[in-house]
Amino acid sequence: MAKEKEIKWKPFWVILRLVTGFVFLWAFLDKVFGLGFSTAHSKAWIFGGSPTKGFLSSTSGIFSGFFHTLASSNFVAWLFMLGLLFIGLTFILGIGMRLGAIAGTAMVFLMWLSLFPSSNNPLIDDHWFYAFAMIASVLNKSGNYFGFGKWWSKINFVKEYPIFE
């Protein structure tokens, strides 16, 4: 009986994993190429635009002063973009999801903190959903289904250091 429930839920966890990965990968692609959704073509990273300046310089939360100082940092821009790419790929491919979830949860926590308190809800916003979606995807081993998780977990290095699973 328990096996049937597990099978029924597999598509849910796969879809949650893929959608979460696509959110991060799409943000990366939009900021790199300026696809015109969140980032105008003229402000694309490949044309010298900053992927972090717009968001970080416009925050107005309690900690906004700190985040305003980070807005023009090239190091922060690179870290942010590599994070988006890494998180997106780990979730889409279903490999390295533990590190992807740790990085993703840290990233969305910092984004939440930069907006705290939010104008919509003083405590909870969509950043919490992304964190829980990433953590739940890892806990349910969703990378093993319609992903490369099973293959990845058999690699000796990954067996030795499960944080890379």
Side-chain angles (χ1 to χ4, degrees):
M1 184 81 168
K3 194 75 168 169
E4 288 179 28
K5 286 183 181 179
E6 183 181 332
I7 291 170
K8 287 181 184 177
W9 282 96
K10 284 180 188 176
F12 172 80
W13 297 117
V14 169
I15 292 168
L16 182 66
R17 172 180 60 89
L18 292 173
V19 167
T20 303
F22 187 71
V23 166
F24 285 90
L25 189 59
W26 181 261
F28 171 80
L29 294 171
D30 188 46
K31 290 177 185 336
V32 169
F33 300 110
L35 302 175
F37 292 87
S38 294
T39 307
H41 189 68
S42 61
K43 293 185 178 186
W45 200 28
I46 62 171
F47 298 130
S50 171
T52 56
K53 188 174 184 177
F55 175 77
L56 291 177
S57 62
S58 68
T59 60
S60 60
I62 295 170
F63 305 106
S64 62
F66 170 71
F67 288 101
H68 289 177
T69 63
L70 300 176
S72 297
S73 168
N74 281 331
F75 175 75
V76 171
W78 274 94
L79 193 61
F80 178 68
M81 293 301 285
L82 290 173
L84 289 176
L85 179 61
F86 175 73
I87 297 160
L89 289 177
T90 61
F91 277 81
I92 288 177
L93 297 174
I95 61 173
M97 288 178 52
R98 285 185 187 178
L99 280 179
I102 291 167
T105 300
M107 180 184 285
V108 297
F109 172 75
L110 289 170
M111 293 173 80
W112 171 81
L113 194 61
S114 73
L115 299 169
F116 181 77
S118 168
S119 59
N120 299 353
N121 182 320
L123 296 176
I124 305 295
D125 69 0
D126 58 327
H127 295 96
W128 286 81
F129 170 78
Y130 293 122
F132 285 119
M134 288 183 279
I135 293 166
S137 293
V138 169
L139 292 175
N140 286 283
K141 298 187 178 285
S142 65
N144 290 351
Y145 312 104
F146 201 69
F148 298 103
K150 283 184 183 177
W151 167 79
W152 182 256
S153 65
K154 292 177 185 174
I155 296 173
N156 287 334
F157 178 79
V158 177
K159 284 181 187 176
E160 193 171 334
Y161 302 100
I163 190 74
F164 292 101
E165 191 171 341

